Amino acid sequence: MKQNQAGHPLVSVVVPVYNVEEYLEDMLRSVLRQSLTQLEVICVNDGSTDASLDVLMRWAAEEPRISVLSQENAGPSAARNRGLDAAAGEYAIFLDAGDRLLPDSLRRLYDAAVKNKLDLVKGAVRLKDARRGETELPAPWSHRDCPKLWTAATFAEAPRGLLETAVSFYGLYRTEFVRQSGLAFSPLPDGGERSFSVGCLTAAQRLMITDIPVAEHLAAEAESPSFERQIVSYAAIRELAGTLPQATARLVCQRELNHVFDEYFCRLEQGKNVYSLHKIIKEFVWSFDVKDVGEDFIAAFAYKEHFWTLKNLCLPPRFEGRHGIAAEARPLVTVVMPVFNAQRYLCEAVESVLRQSLTSFELLCVDDGSTDDTPNILPNTPRATAGSS
């Protein structure tokens, strides 16, 4: 482990690296130019096949504060965990290779952490559009709305506010607190960021949420995680919640359920892969245990109608043997369904027909010139005949 001349580092900067050669030098410059100089940079090469490792080794040869670890490709979670295991700093911060630390951010975060004896302190992040180069600084935290978030606090003092506003990944984590709490990044497709952050929030004895601008994050449309990844992340956080008191566990699951449905409707409005999206949310709701969040929460849930519609569609058919019945030459009933830009509700409407106890029917869906994703959904619908007008 490399250390600077002043001794043990105050902050360990952990960076997973995989095929990001074009971003590495800007990221490293932003870290090494910090006013807080007692730091180490631990770059974990996660089996890169481009020139990322060459860039890292070149910089490490000239800068003693940079350490390079290499491993076979195992994903960002494994890379972050390995970097955390190697960290010698009092605090650790986790960056992506495409991030850029903003000037003086480490000094400001560290001073706040030490002054208030914090287990973690979080700040804000600027999002940079990878295509247009424009930056935006969101303001998700409001001193007026939840003043306790700005002071040294525990999770119990403001649980709802923290879960709503403080799941941001960027900040300093006291390394001994993370290790003693047994926290690590779960091997999830999203890198385990969300579950790690929630775990730290609920375990911390003293924490602070600030508006300190920490980093600029390169955001590309292509990096938006798939909806399947959102579901997997929920499962991991639900498992974490199982270790918490029931009231806290329910708060965590309630926030995550809101997050899943917010993301579902956002993607639904985009009109991409709607049929696949519907299958995923239906399977999620079918396996969802209402006890995780409480019946009172579901009764007041913003998406409760859609939730129960999906839950009811997932009920077993009244006649399981119907799929083995040979199709009649002439159906008893013809169901005619005109559709126009119906991507948001089409799957549920069709399934309500398909799950009828009377099985001798035909379903004729007539697309009336839809301009959304409706024409792509219809061919994937079993027992439905699609036509156009």
Side-chain angles (χ1 to χ4, degrees):
M1 179 68 62
K2 295 183 179 179
Q3 301 171 358
N4 67 1
Q5 295 179 353
H8 287 283
L10 302 178
V11 174
S12 297
V13 181
V14 177
V15 187
V17 175
Y18 178 72
N19 290 355
V20 284
E21 59 179 297
E22 65 269 36
Y23 305 121
L24 279 176
E25 293 194 341
D26 285 342
M27 180 275 296
L28 291 170
R29 287 192 190 95
S30 74
V31 176
L32 297 176
R33 290 174 178 174
Q34 290 290 303
S35 58
L36 187 150
T37 59
Q38 284 182 256
L39 57 83
E40 64 176 353
V41 188
I42 304 174
C43 296
V44 183
N45 176 47
D46 189 35
S48 296
T49 57
D50 65 355
S52 294
L53 182 58
D54 294 336
V55 174
L56 292 176
M57 297 306 293
R58 186 172 68 251
W59 277 70
E62 299 178 0
E63 173 54 69
R65 291 178 294 175
I66 298 177
S67 295
V68 180
L69 305 177
S70 287
Q71 63 184 32
E72 293 185 2
N73 181 250
S77 299
R80 290 181 179 127
N81 287 333
R82 186 172 181 192
L84 179 61
D85 288 343
E90 182 183 357
Y91 286 86
I93 185 171
F94 302 92
L95 299 180
D96 289 333
D99 292 338
R100 183 176 63 85
L101 277 181
L102 299 175
D104 206 34
S105 58
L106 290 187
R107 169 60 65 185
R108 295 177 66 187
L109 286 173
Y110 181 79
D111 286 348
V114 172
K115 178 181 178 181
N116 296 281
K117 300 179 180 179
L118 302 176
D119 290 325
L120 68 89
V121 55
K122 295 196 175 190
V125 58
R126 290 176 178 168
L127 301 180
K128 182 175 182 179
D129 190 295
R131 294 171 300 175
R132 295 177 297 187
E134 299 174 356
T135 59
E136 174 186 3
L137 179 59
W141 304 299
S142 170
H143 179 54
R144 295 186 302 275
D145 294 341
C146 196
K148 286 186 178 181
L149 300 186
W150 295 75
T151 60
T154 64
F155 179 79
E157 290 183 51
R160 293 184 184 276
L162 284 167
L163 288 173
E164 287 293 330
T165 63
V167 185
S168 164
F169 185 52
Y170 292 87
L172 293 185
Y173 302 80
R174 190 168 63 85
T175 51
E176 282 306 304
F177 151 70
V178 174
R179 289 166 179 160
Q180 291 173 4
S181 300
L183 296 167
F185 291 89
S186 301
L188 301 175
D190 68 350
E193 296 176 9
R194 192 170 181 85
S195 57
F196 178 81
S197 186
V198 171
C200 288
L201 285 175
T202 56
Q205 295 300 307
R206 291 178 65 82
L207 60 92
M208 181 180 288
I209 309 303
T210 75
D211 62 350
I212 297 172
V214 178
E216 182 178 86
H217 176 70
L218 191 66
E221 183 178 0
E223 78 173 21
S224 179
S226 67
F227 193 59
E228 291 95 331
R229 288 168 60 174
Q230 302 286 341
I231 301 301
V232 172
S233 179
Y234 175 87
I237 293 176
R238 179 183 181 276
E239 183 178 354
L240 168 70
T243 66
L244 305 173
Q246 184 184 57
T248 302
R250 284 189 167 180
L251 282 176
V252 170
C253 289
Q254 288 166 7
R255 174 65 191 101
E256 292 308 304
L257 183 62
N258 269 319
H259 180 70
V260 167
F261 270 83
D262 286 344
E263 186 68 23
Y264 168 70
F265 276 101
C266 178
R267 291 171 184 266
L268 201 60
E269 292 297 334
Q270 295 172 0
K272 298 179 181 178
N273 303 317
V274 173
Y275 185 74
S276 174
L277 191 65
H278 172 73
K279 288 179 63 178
I280 296 169
I281 192 69
K282 188 177 70 169
E283 291 173 1
F284 169 74
V285 171
W286 168 240
S287 62
F288 186 84
D289 189 345
V290 174
K291 293 179 182 178
D292 289 347
V293 296
E295 294 182 359
D296 291 344
F297 175 81
I298 293 295
F301 188 33
Y303 302 110
K304 65 179 179 180
E305 293 183 4
H306 202 80
F307 177 89
W308 285 119
T309 297
L310 290 167
K311 197 76 166 175
N312 291 332
L313 286 176
C314 292
L315 292 175
R318 290 166 62 184
F319 297 95
E320 291 293 346
R322 71 181 187 174
H323 298 293
I325 300 175
E328 295 85 350
R330 183 179 183 184
L332 298 178
V333 175
T334 297
V335 181
V336 180
M337 185 182 296
V339 293
F340 175 73
N341 288 357
Q343 65 180 31
R344 186 165 183 172
Y345 305 107
L346 183 57
C347 292
E348 289 88 341
V350 169
E351 286 206 30
S352 70
V353 177
L354 298 180
R355 302 189 81 79
Q356 294 295 306
S357 58
L358 188 150
T359 62
S360 178
F361 66 83
E362 64 177 349
L363 174 58
L364 302 180
C365 297
V366 183
D367 178 33
D368 192 27
S370 295
T371 56
D372 63 359
D373 202 44
T374 296
N376 296 322
I377 300 172
L378 291 174
N380 295 308
T381 304
R383 299 189 65 182
T385 302
S388 59
S389 61

